[in-house]
Amino acid sequence: MTGEPGTTTDAPTDTADRAGTADRAGTADRADTADSADTADSADTADPADTADPTAAEHQAPGVVAASLRWEAAAAVADEVLAVPPGPDESRMANAAFVAATVVAVVAVAMLLAPVPSGWRAAVAVAVLVLGAVLGGVGLLRGRARRRMHPAARLHEDAIIAALTSRERQAVRRAVNGRSNAPEDRASVVDAVALRRAEAGGTVYTAGAAITGTSGVVLQHDSSLLWAGAVVVWFAALVTTWWRRRLADRYLRRRGLRS
């Protein structure tokens, strides 16, 4: 009743084969599943920068590129200004011109308020006129001589920052006035503007013009309001120029460009 020997022997063999096949299939499935998981993990942890468009950097923030070009143009002009050999410290000359103009203004106001003989009035007016002409001439000639020796000295403040926008120009002026700090990559532009403002020529020339105008007020006791108004405008310009020069000089000393 045991059956045929071949039938009894083959049944376990078939079972073993099926078991081996199942094991191999399970192992293959697990391997495929693991490979898929590893691939998924690799995809999840991939650096987003590797998949970014390589040309995106060329099209991002065009305003930043334009600003860089503007500052590069301003820095090129500033380098020409900074290449000019520094002249002597003109602080004393500028301060002396400012004090002289202030004294003349006080004298003129006193002579307008107090009765002064016409002879004294004419003498003071001539002296004031000569002083103003000397100061104005000195300021004008010094500027021309320096520009003749160094052509880059003709580049004034507005020429240095001509390529910048209005807001960027205000940022440069605030840095010169000590209200903000200039970045190191843009410090050359601020340095050049400060050097131009620190020159005494503008203060001396403006003081001479203000003093010359005051001579007319002294000479004419009953001068018109228009003439007196023009003198006030000249003195306002003098105060503004002198104060800006002083702030620029302070900036240069902080930067070590002036001793």
Side-chain angles (χ1 to χ4, degrees):
M1 300 298 293
T2 58
E4 295 181 0
T7 303
T8 303
T9 305
D10 292 340
T13 304
D14 293 339
T15 302
D17 291 341
R18 286 194 297 272
T21 303
D23 292 341
R24 286 191 298 273
T27 303
D29 290 341
R30 287 192 298 271
D32 293 341
T33 302
D35 291 341
S36 300
D38 293 341
T39 303
D41 292 340
S42 300
D44 292 338
T45 58
D47 188 359
D50 296 337
T51 59
D53 185 3
T55 61
E58 299 179 0
H59 302 286
Q60 66 179 2
V64 175
V65 177
S68 299
L69 294 177
R70 291 195 300 270
W71 282 101
E72 288 177 3
V77 181
D79 290 340
E80 296 182 18
V81 175
L82 296 175
V84 177
D89 189 1
E90 301 177 344
S91 299
R92 293 182 178 179
M93 178 179 296
N95 292 334
F98 180 78
V99 170
T102 303
V103 171
V104 168
V106 172
V107 171
V109 172
M111 295 185 69
L112 290 176
L113 297 178
V116 179
S118 59
W120 282 99
R121 191 180 301 278
V124 172
V126 171
V128 169
L129 179 62
V130 171
L131 177 61
V134 170
L135 286 177
V138 168
L140 184 62
L141 293 177
R142 283 176 63 88
R144 286 186 176 180
R146 186 167 178 78
R147 288 190 295 269
R148 190 179 300 110
M149 294 176 58
H150 308 286
R154 301 175 182 176
L155 299 173
H156 48 80
E157 174 185 338
D158 293 337
I160 299 172
I161 56 179
L164 304 180
T165 63
S166 177
R167 178 175 297 180
E168 291 167 343
R169 295 175 188 175
Q170 291 298 327
V172 172
R173 295 187 176 103
R174 285 196 303 269
V176 174
N177 294 336
R179 297 179 180 177
S180 62
N181 296 324
E184 285 299 326
D185 57 342
R186 299 173 180 177
S188 62
V189 178
V190 183
D191 292 347
V193 172
L195 283 175
R196 280 292 172 265
R197 284 194 180 185
E199 293 178 349
T203 302
V204 174
Y205 178 78
T206 308
I211 292 174
T212 302
T214 306
S215 65
V217 177
V218 173
L219 184 61
Q220 301 176 5
H221 182 70
D222 55 347
S223 58
S224 64
L225 293 179
L226 181 61
W227 183 271
V231 173
V232 171
V233 170
W234 274 111
F235 272 96
L238 171 62
V239 173
T240 302
T241 303
W242 176 79
W243 181 247
R244 290 174 55 182
R245 196 213 67 80
R246 184 167 182 173
L247 292 177
D249 188 67
R250 289 179 180 177
Y251 170 85
L252 294 174
R253 294 181 189 279
R254 289 196 305 269
R255 292 278 297 171
L257 299 177
R258 288 282 176 87
S259 57

Short mmCIF file of all heavy atoms in Angstrom, two decimals, residues 58 68 75 77 84 116 126 168 183 202:
data_model
loop_
_atom_site.label_atom_id
_atom_site.label_comp_id
_atom_site.label_asym_id
_atom_site.label_seq_id
_atom_site.Cartn_x
_atom_site.Cartn_y
_atom_site.Cartn_z
N GLU A 58 22.50 83.57 -13.85
CA GLU A 58 22.74 84.65 -14.81
C GLU A 58 21.53 85.58 -14.90
O GLU A 58 21.68 86.72 -15.34
CB GLU A 58 23.05 84.07 -16.18
CG GLU A 58 24.31 83.19 -16.20
CD GLU A 58 24.56 82.61 -17.58
OE1 GLU A 58 23.74 82.90 -18.49
OE2 GLU A 58 25.54 81.87 -17.75
N SER A 68 26.28 96.88 -9.36
CA SER A 68 27.72 96.60 -9.37
C SER A 68 28.42 97.36 -10.48
O SER A 68 29.52 97.90 -10.29
CB SER A 68 27.95 95.10 -9.52
OG SER A 68 27.39 94.39 -8.44
N ALA A 75 34.03 103.80 -9.00
CA ALA A 75 35.33 103.47 -8.43
C ALA A 75 36.46 103.77 -9.40
O ALA A 75 37.56 104.16 -8.98
CB ALA A 75 35.35 102.00 -8.02
N VAL A 77 36.58 106.24 -11.57
CA VAL A 77 36.83 107.69 -11.48
C VAL A 77 37.50 108.03 -10.15
O VAL A 77 38.40 108.88 -10.08
CB VAL A 77 35.51 108.47 -11.65
CG1 VAL A 77 35.77 109.97 -11.59
CG2 VAL A 77 34.85 108.11 -12.97
N VAL A 84 46.07 111.21 -7.49
CA VAL A 84 46.69 112.54 -7.44
C VAL A 84 47.46 112.66 -6.12
O VAL A 84 46.91 112.37 -5.06
CB VAL A 84 45.63 113.65 -7.55
CG1 VAL A 84 46.28 115.03 -7.43
CG2 VAL A 84 44.89 113.52 -8.87
N VAL A 116 28.23 155.98 11.34
CA VAL A 116 29.67 156.03 11.05
C VAL A 116 29.88 157.08 9.98
O VAL A 116 29.13 157.13 8.98
CB VAL A 116 30.19 154.66 10.58
CG1 VAL A 116 31.67 154.73 10.25
CG2 VAL A 116 29.93 153.59 11.64
N VAL A 126 36.81 149.85 1.21
CA VAL A 126 37.95 149.55 0.34
C VAL A 126 38.79 148.42 0.91
O VAL A 126 39.23 147.50 0.20
CB VAL A 126 38.80 150.82 0.12
CG1 VAL A 126 40.11 150.47 -0.59
CG2 VAL A 126 38.02 151.87 -0.68
N GLU A 168 22.06 106.33 -4.02
CA GLU A 168 23.45 105.93 -3.78
C GLU A 168 24.34 107.15 -3.54
O GLU A 168 25.28 107.10 -2.74
CB GLU A 168 23.96 105.12 -4.98
CG GLU A 168 23.29 103.76 -5.10
CD GLU A 168 23.55 103.08 -6.44
OE1 GLU A 168 23.97 103.79 -7.39
OE2 GLU A 168 23.33 101.87 -6.55
N PRO A 183 30.95 100.49 3.03
CA PRO A 183 31.56 99.17 2.88
C PRO A 183 32.96 99.28 2.29
O PRO A 183 33.27 100.22 1.54
CB PRO A 183 30.60 98.45 1.91
CG PRO A 183 29.32 99.21 2.00
CD PRO A 183 29.69 100.63 2.29
N GLY A 202 37.51 125.80 -2.29
CA GLY A 202 36.11 126.21 -2.33
C GLY A 202 35.75 127.14 -1.19
O GLY A 202 35.05 128.14 -1.39
#
